[in-house]
């Protein structure tokens, strides 16, 4: 035990002496360094630059690289609103469409409110505008069809370029509100030309090789559902009799004189015929 105590005591004393001497040496080195730097301004400036560079490198290494800079005004580009701030009728439509089409209610709130406002100005049922959006794009503002129809209401941008000039150009087709307004205007013009909602939808979808009955039935059925939700009525279990498809026959090219005569309107009695001089 005495030997163990002696060994421990010697080790402690050695550690103390080394530490004490090391601190004294470190203090001596620092004192010499301070005196040297005080006597040599050029050496002091160089040392300060090296020390500052080392500190900056350490700071950059410790901080994660920034992927983007902060942009507090980004919220201004967002097309969204709180559905709770809408009138009850519009809020009901918003939540119903959100559940059915799996779209967030906040951006849908803006579209529903805009559809009601545009519908009132254009004398269109806002639920019809929403039904067209639902069938055309399922509320995807970036949708595009194989023929080039774009946006919420699948408007042919290349055909209606002039209508987008008021919104800054063709790229406005991918702005939800701009696309809604242009689409509602196109739909309004189509209904006015056709004289009925069904005929306007046929023109809107551009039915050429078919009569568009399938599209019309889908839009009208969804229109009635959204209308029931807006009015707070029970959802209809049935839809009106669907529009029967009408055979569409492509016009034949005139091949003979008798074909031209067959296509010509009937002549009044007593009028000269084509064979008469």
């Amino acid at each position: 035990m005495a030997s163990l105590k002696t060994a421990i005591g010697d080790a402690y004393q050695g550690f103390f002496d080394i530490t004490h001497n090391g601190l004294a040496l470190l203090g001596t080195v620092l004192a010499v360094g301070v005196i040297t730097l005080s006597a040599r301004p050029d050496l002091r400036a160089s040392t300060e630059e090296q020390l500052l560079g080392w500190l900056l490198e350490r700071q950059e290494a410790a901080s994660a690289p920034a992927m983007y800079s902060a942009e507090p005004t980004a919220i201004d580009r967002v097309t969204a609103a709180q559905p709770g701030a809408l009138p009850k009728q519009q809020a009901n439509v918003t939540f119903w469409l959100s559940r059915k089409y799996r779209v967030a209610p906040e951006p849908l709130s803006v579209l529903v409110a805009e559809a009601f406002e545009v519908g009132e100005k254009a004398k269109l049922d806002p639920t019809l505008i929403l039904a067209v959006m639902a069938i055309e794009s399922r509320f995807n503002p970036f949708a595009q069809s194989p023929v080039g129809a774009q946006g919420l209401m699948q408007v042919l941008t290349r055909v209606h370029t002039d209508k987008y000039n008021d919104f800054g150009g063709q790229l406005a087709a991918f702005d939800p509100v701009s696309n809604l307004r242009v689409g509602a205007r196109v739909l309004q013009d189509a209904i006015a030309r056709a004289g009925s909602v069904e005929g306007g939808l046929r023109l809107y979808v551009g039915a050429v090789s078919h009569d568009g009955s399938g599209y019309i039935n889908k839009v009208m059925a969804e229109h009635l559902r959204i209308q029931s939700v807006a009015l707070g009525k029970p959802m209809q279990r049935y839809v009106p009799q669907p529009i029967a498809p009408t055979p569409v026959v492509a016009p034949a090219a005139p091949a003979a004189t008798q074909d031209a005569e067959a296509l010509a309107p009937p002549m009044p009695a007593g009028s000269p015929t084509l064979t008469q001089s």
Side-chain angles (χ1 to χ4, degrees):
M1 293 295 294
S3 300
L4 181 60
K5 290 181 179 180
T6 301
I8 293 175
D10 292 342
Y12 174 77
Q13 186 64 37
F15 176 77
F16 177 79
D17 292 340
I18 292 173
T19 304
H20 182 268
N21 293 334
L23 292 175
L25 179 61
L26 179 61
T28 303
V29 171
L30 290 175
V32 173
V34 169
I35 295 172
T36 303
L37 293 176
S38 300
R40 297 281 304 276
D42 57 336
L43 184 60
R44 184 175 67 250
S46 176
T47 304
E48 290 176 353
E49 290 179 0
Q50 292 181 3
L51 180 60
L52 180 60
W54 178 78
L55 291 175
L56 291 176
E57 290 178 359
R58 295 284 297 175
Q59 184 178 6
E60 292 176 358
S63 61
M67 297 178 60
Y68 50 82
S69 58
E71 190 180 358
T73 58
I75 189 66
D76 297 337
R77 298 197 301 265
V78 179
T79 307
Q82 293 298 334
L86 296 175
K88 183 178 180 181
Q89 188 181 57
Q90 299 179 23
N92 291 341
V93 172
T94 298
F95 287 119
W96 186 82
L97 291 173
S98 175
R99 290 191 300 270
K100 180 173 182 178
Y101 292 97
R102 299 183 180 181
V103 181
E106 289 80 6
L108 267 179
S109 298
V110 176
L111 300 179
V112 171
E114 187 68 22
F116 272 78
E117 182 177 351
V118 170
E120 182 179 359
K121 294 178 180 178
K123 308 302 180 186
L124 286 176
D125 192 327
T127 59
L128 176 64
I129 299 175
L130 293 170
V132 171
M133 277 190 284
I135 301 303
E136 289 283 1
S137 67
R138 298 183 66 87
F139 299 99
N140 177 9
F142 310 122
Q144 177 165 309
S145 72
V147 297
Q150 297 174 326
L152 282 174
M153 298 192 70
Q154 291 291 279
V155 178
L156 281 170
T157 307
R158 66 178 184 272
V159 176
H160 301 283
T161 304
D162 58 323
K163 294 182 178 63
Y164 281 111
N165 290 337
D166 294 336
F167 302 96
Q170 296 185 25
L171 291 180
F174 299 106
D175 172 56
V177 175
S178 300
N179 190 283
L180 189 158
R181 292 175 179 175
V182 172
R185 181 178 172 185
V186 174
L187 179 61
Q188 179 191 33
D189 294 342
I191 293 175
R193 281 189 290 141
S196 66
V197 173
E198 291 79 4
L201 291 173
R202 182 177 288 107
L203 293 177
Y204 188 87
V205 76
V208 177
S209 60
H210 58 89
D211 69 336
S213 59
Y215 172 81
I216 297 172
N217 290 331
K218 288 181 181 178
V219 172
M220 294 304 294
E222 191 68 358
H223 167 43
L224 290 177
R225 296 187 191 100
I226 301 175
Q227 193 177 58
S228 298
V229 173
L231 298 177
K233 295 181 178 180
M235 190 69 62
Q236 297 188 21
R237 296 183 181 180
Y238 65 92
V239 295
Q241 185 68 25
I243 298 174
T246 304
V248 177
V249 180
T257 306
Q258 58 268 26
D259 296 332
E261 294 177 354
L263 294 174
M267 303 294 291
S271 299
T273 63
L274 295 176
T275 58
Q276 294 175 337
S277 55

